[in-house]
Amino acid sequence: MEEVDVEPTTTPIPGFDSNQKHLGFVWGPGDILVYETIYKASGGSAGGCPFVHEVRKDEDIYSPILRKLFNESHHIFVGLQRIREDLPSKNKKPQFVSISKNYRSVIRACMEELQQVLYHNDFLGTTLLSLELIWNLCEVLFIDAAPAGSLVLHLLDWVRLHKADVDEKAREVLASESPAEHQAYWDVVISYVLQGRMDEARQVLVKQATLQPAARAMFKLLDNLLMKMPIFNPGETQTLTEFDVKWRHWREEVDRCLQDQSFASNPHLEDICKILVGDEDVLLEHKELLSTWYHFLVTRLLFSHPTVKPTELHYYAQSSMHMFLDTRSVPEPLDSILLAAFEFDIHQVIKDCSIALNNWWFVGHLTDLLDHCKLLQSHNLHFGSNLREFLLLEYASGLFTHHSLWQLAVDYFDHCPEFGRVYLELQIERVPLDTERKALKVIRICEQRQMTEQVRSICKIMAKKALRNNRLGSALSWSIRAKDAAFATLISERFLQDYCAKGTFSDLDLIDNLGPAMLLSDRLTFLGKYREFHRLYGEKRFSDAAKLLLSLMTAKIAPRSFWMTLLTDALPLLEQKEVIFSADQTHELMFCLEELTSGKTLVMIFVCCLAALLSCLLKREGPVAPLHHIEYGISKNILMRMIH
């Protein structure tokens, strides 16, 4: 999109004087943090301000009412992406129109919900009304692409939907004691005629006819004109040319009534007759009832050019806006957007909406639908992406700043083939991992998209967080999932330290079920195998326990600092009634002890013998436990003192 020739929006910051002090700021993913610096504008320094201000670019995302809009439209968006590309466009048109109406129904539902709120946001209500008005017009002109004849009927429906106050006024008039004498009576009748609702106008006119028996013939004549007004029906066999001939005959009949001054005695009926022939001066006299230039446009087309072609629409739109608006007034952004739509300038509509609206929801979804309808020409931006993808990326990036809506953004990134994955990889790392449940949700999203690096990063973050909270089991589980050997080694060390301090392992279920994961690091392998030694010992499978214990030392899997603990664990096995260690295995144990205390060989042989003797003296009846926890604590203490 080309550069916008407008001044950026000014956001005042309370308590800050830009003439006195400088501002500092930090960009965030969806906002800017602004703070007052200690520097004066003229140089020097001053006292700093303790406040930090958050300036959000997508404030609407935090509205509880609009959350429903974002959630519901997400389902519609995903459904639209599933429409088969190989189907001919003419076969997909009914689906596109249906999807467009679904989007509008969601906007309408939010408007109704907003009206039920006691202190509702008038600005938000006006914004939603404008969104639905623009979308509905785009649906008529671009998506449904109504042809000549049907076009005016669709525009009439558009106006009626957005100018519904006449029905409320009509109920008030008809509920009064004397409807024909109500001050708003003629406003209701003329409003119905201006909207082409002839049947309703005739029903209300009956009230006045019964009140004036002398003028009954005049009312009957107008009723007949209203009843006979031709309305094009695309479902009938009547051609557009035949309808045009029939409409011209009716128009001539209305003209004759004016020429004959059939309604001269009643100014209201004469005004209605002039409206039927499209008298622009009379139409403009009822500006208050029309209220907008585009209502004036549609009424003007209905009574003057009912078979207008889409290609001719821009001329009538421009002239209607100039005729209706005061020459001194500047058109509102909404007027410019609607005029661009009537001129069939889709890109201008999208551009103006992007400038006027304070979020990307509208332009993102509308552009996506128009792109599926093949209505957007290839419109690449300078960095390679097309217009549809650029707007969807901006919208999804805004969603990622919200604590719960970020999950919706994932599907939008998935359907942006050029840069969607890159954006997702960058944004997914910014999701606050407040709970393990949320972390698992993020990981599942990454795993479904083969985002291996992001999975590892998240697991590492969660492992460190669990370790800080001294939740060793959770930390080990996350580090295994991250395949982080260094961190798994660190946590395994912590497990062994806790074991030495407390005499028991925590998180036994996790350690007992490490499986192939224990091969991630040598220290984790040792932790798993050492726990297996304890399990074998507890099951009194002493031979298997002895073999495993010895292999941990001879294969150099056990950390050297833990060898003394293993040697003391071997003592209860040495003094069993049956021989557990063979002569060769015993020599290997002695060799390990000698290697551990090189230079003190003779002393250590003596210590080992003494330790064995003490263990025999201190042995108790009942199950045998590892030496350094229960019966053999004294032996270990003496052993350690003599080594040192």
Side-chain angles (χ1 to χ4, degrees):
M1 296 174 70
E2 62 264 33
E3 205 65 37
V4 180
D5 298 327
V6 294
E7 288 295 320
T9 304
T10 302
T11 303
I13 298 178
F16 174 74
D17 184 359
S18 59
N19 295 320
Q20 297 294 324
K21 296 176 183 177
H22 288 296
L23 270 185
F25 65 91
V26 178
W27 291 103
D31 49 21
I32 307 173
L33 295 180
V34 185
Y35 54 90
E36 186 179 297
T37 69
I38 62 172
Y39 300 103
K40 291 182 178 179
S42 57
S45 61
C49 177
F51 300 107
V52 176
H53 303 274
E54 183 180 14
V55 182
R56 292 172 176 166
K57 69 174 182 180
D58 275 336
E59 182 66 25
D60 287 349
I61 288 177
Y62 299 89
S63 167
I65 299 291
L66 290 184
R67 207 163 302 164
K68 179 178 182 179
L69 176 70
F70 300 138
N71 279 297
E72 294 295 328
S73 58
H74 164 259
H75 296 302
I76 301 171
F77 171 84
V78 172
L80 174 59
Q81 314 311 309
R82 293 173 181 161
I83 293 180
R84 289 171 51 191
E85 288 290 333
D86 56 346
L87 290 175
S89 297
K90 63 178 182 179
N91 295 346
K92 293 187 283 188
K93 179 179 174 181
Q95 291 177 282
F96 292 144
V97 173
S98 175
I99 287 171
S100 178
K101 290 180 178 178
N102 288 341
Y103 276 125
R104 289 199 294 113
S105 67
V106 173
I107 299 175
R108 279 272 165 185
C110 289
M111 289 167 57
E112 292 172 2
E113 187 174 339
L114 187 64
Q115 290 172 358
Q116 295 172 3
V117 179
L118 186 60
Y119 300 103
H120 69 269
N121 187 331
D122 290 332
F123 174 76
L124 183 55
T126 304
T127 302
L128 288 173
L129 187 63
S130 300
L131 294 183
E132 209 268 338
L133 182 73
I134 300 167
W135 192 299
N136 196 352
L137 182 60
C138 291
E139 179 185 304
V140 171
L141 299 179
F142 306 138
I143 302 168
D144 200 3
S150 299
L151 178 58
V152 170
L153 298 180
H154 282 76
L155 291 174
L156 273 174
D157 291 336
W158 172 62
V159 165
R160 291 167 185 168
L161 188 62
H162 299 282
K163 193 74 174 62
D165 57 337
V166 63
D167 293 308
E168 186 177 344
K169 192 180 293 183
R171 284 192 293 269
E172 180 186 336
V173 168
L174 296 174
S176 64
E177 293 182 2
S178 179
E181 296 177 346
H182 196 283
Q183 61 179 0
Y185 172 82
W186 286 108
D187 285 348
V188 169
V189 175
I190 293 174
S191 293
Y192 276 142
V193 174
L194 291 173
Q195 291 189 11
R197 300 167 65 176
M198 303 311 176
D199 290 338
E200 289 94 329
R202 291 172 59 208
Q203 290 173 8
V204 180
L205 270 173
V206 170
K207 305 290 184 182
Q208 189 70 224
T210 55
L211 194 67
Q212 302 182 35
R216 187 167 296 173
M218 188 167 42
F219 279 97
K220 181 65 177 176
L221 178 59
L222 182 61
D223 181 76
N224 192 44
L225 291 176
L226 294 174
M227 180 181 65
K228 287 166 58 178
M229 180 181 175
I231 299 295
F232 181 74
N233 189 344
E236 294 180 354
T237 55
Q238 183 185 44
T239 65
L240 190 62
T241 305
E242 291 171 341
F243 165 76
D244 189 55
V245 171
K246 187 177 180 181
W247 182 83
R248 289 183 185 280
H249 284 311
W250 171 82
R251 170 78 177 271
E252 290 172 1
E253 184 179 350
V254 179
D255 258 333
R256 281 195 302 271
C257 291
L258 281 176
Q259 297 300 327
D260 298 342
Q261 295 188 343
S262 303
F263 306 105
S265 61
N266 190 318
H268 296 297
L269 296 185
E270 190 172 38
D271 275 357
I272 292 173
C273 196
K274 288 180 179 179
I275 289 172
L276 294 181
V277 295
D279 189 318
E280 293 174 353
D281 292 332
V282 176
L283 288 175
L284 290 172
E285 286 175 7
H286 294 90
K287 269 189 176 184
E288 290 186 4
L289 298 180
L290 290 168
S291 72
T292 61
W293 67 267
Y294 43 89
H295 189 182
F296 168 63
L297 163 68
V298 176
T299 302
R300 181 185 173 200
L301 292 174
L302 174 66
F303 296 115
S304 301
H305 312 282
T307 57
V308 64
K309 298 176 182 177
T311 53
E312 302 168 341
L313 201 55
H314 68 95
Y315 165 75
Y316 295 108
Q318 290 173 353
S319 61
S320 295
M321 189 171 77
H322 292 143
M323 291 167 64
F324 192 88
L325 297 179
D326 191 332
T327 54
R328 293 168 297 179
S329 62
V330 179
E332 296 289 331
L334 178 61
D335 298 324
S336 302
I337 293 168
L338 295 178
L339 183 60
F342 283 121
E343 293 172 347
F344 285 83
D345 191 344
I346 297 179
H347 289 104
Q348 190 63 41
V349 171
I350 295 170
K351 174 184 174 181
D352 289 347
C353 288
S354 299
I355 297 171
L357 303 175
N358 58 349
N359 73 76
W360 297 100
W361 176 89
F362 180 83
V363 288
H365 289 86
L366 179 61
T367 305
D368 174 59
L369 181 55
L370 294 174
D371 187 70
H372 276 82
C373 296
K374 308 297 182 186
L375 294 171
L376 291 177
Q377 297 175 352
S378 179
H379 192 71
N380 290 330
L381 305 181
H382 67 278
F383 51 80
S385 178
N386 60 34
L387 181 60
R388 169 195 173 271
E389 180 161 323
F390 169 77
L391 295 172
L392 288 178
L393 289 173
E394 288 297 317
Y395 171 65
S397 297
L399 289 179
F400 248 101
T401 65
H402 193 273
H403 65 89
S404 63
L405 295 176
W406 66 270
Q407 297 173 76
L408 305 181
V410 175
D411 286 323
Y412 290 94
F413 285 139
D414 282 345
H415 292 98
C416 292
E418 190 76 23
F419 295 110
R421 184 178 178 88
V422 176
Y423 268 68
L424 179 58
E425 289 174 352
L426 292 173
Q427 295 285 355
I428 203 79
E429 294 179 350
R430 295 173 174 174
V431 177
L433 304 176
D434 307 319
T435 62
E436 288 199 356
R437 182 181 177 184
K438 189 172 183 179
L440 290 170
K441 194 176 293 184
V442 176
I443 287 173
R444 185 165 60 250
I445 290 171
C446 294
E447 287 177 341
Q448 290 169 351
R449 292 156 182 81
Q450 289 80 48
M451 294 165 59
T452 310
E453 286 303 314
Q454 283 69 28
V455 172
R456 292 189 63 184
S457 175
I458 293 165
C459 290
K460 286 181 179 180
I461 292 170
M462 296 305 295
K464 291 177 181 177
K465 187 180 291 188
L467 186 61
R468 282 197 301 269
N469 295 328
N470 205 32
R471 296 170 55 231
L472 297 182
S474 178
L476 181 58
S477 178
W478 284 112
S479 64
I480 291 172
R481 191 161 188 169
K483 296 181 173 58
D484 189 340
F487 206 69
T489 298
L490 175 65
I491 299 169
S492 300
E493 287 278 10
R494 286 285 299 272
F495 265 105
L496 294 173
Q497 291 171 10
D498 274 14
Y499 170 74
C500 291
K502 301 175 183 177
T504 57
F505 281 112
S506 57
D507 298 286
L508 287 178
D509 287 342
L510 175 63
I511 301 174
D512 286 342
N513 295 283
L514 285 173
M518 71 170 64
L519 301 176
L520 182 62
S521 76
D522 290 345
R523 199 56 44 86
L524 185 58
T525 302
F526 171 72
L527 176 64
K529 290 297 182 182
Y530 187 55
R531 167 57 193 159
E532 185 180 344
F533 161 75
H534 277 266
R535 184 173 53 79
L536 294 172
Y537 194 95
E539 295 171 359
K540 296 187 178 181
R541 296 166 57 186
F542 298 131
S543 296
D544 294 335
K547 188 182 298 183
L548 178 59
L549 184 68
L550 188 61
S551 67
L552 290 176
M553 299 183 69
T554 56
K556 311 296 183 184
I557 295 176
R560 196 174 182 84
S561 60
F562 213 77
W563 276 24
M564 186 55 66
T565 301
L566 297 179
L567 286 169
T568 52
D569 281 338
L571 291 178
L573 298 174
L574 286 168
E575 51 79 34
Q576 292 292 318
K577 291 180 180 178
E578 59 184 77
V579 176
I580 304 299
F581 287 105
S582 65
D584 291 338
Q585 289 176 327
T586 305
H587 277 97
E588 287 182 2
L589 281 175
M590 296 295 293
F591 177 78
C592 291
L593 181 59
E594 182 180 355
E595 186 177 346
L596 183 63
T597 57
S598 55
K600 302 179 182 179
T601 307
L602 294 176
V603 174
M604 287 314 302
I605 292 175
F606 171 76
V607 169
C608 191
C609 294
L610 180 60
L613 177 60
L614 288 172
S615 68
C616 293
L617 293 173
L618 294 170
K619 183 183 177 185
R620 298 179 182 175
E621 296 296 327
V624 181
L627 172 69
H628 58 295
H629 297 315
I630 307 174
E631 294 91 343
Y632 304 101
I634 299 175
S635 299
K636 181 180 177 182
N637 291 337
I638 295 174
L639 195 61
M640 294 300 292
R641 286 177 188 173
M642 297 190 71
I643 290 173
H644 294 294

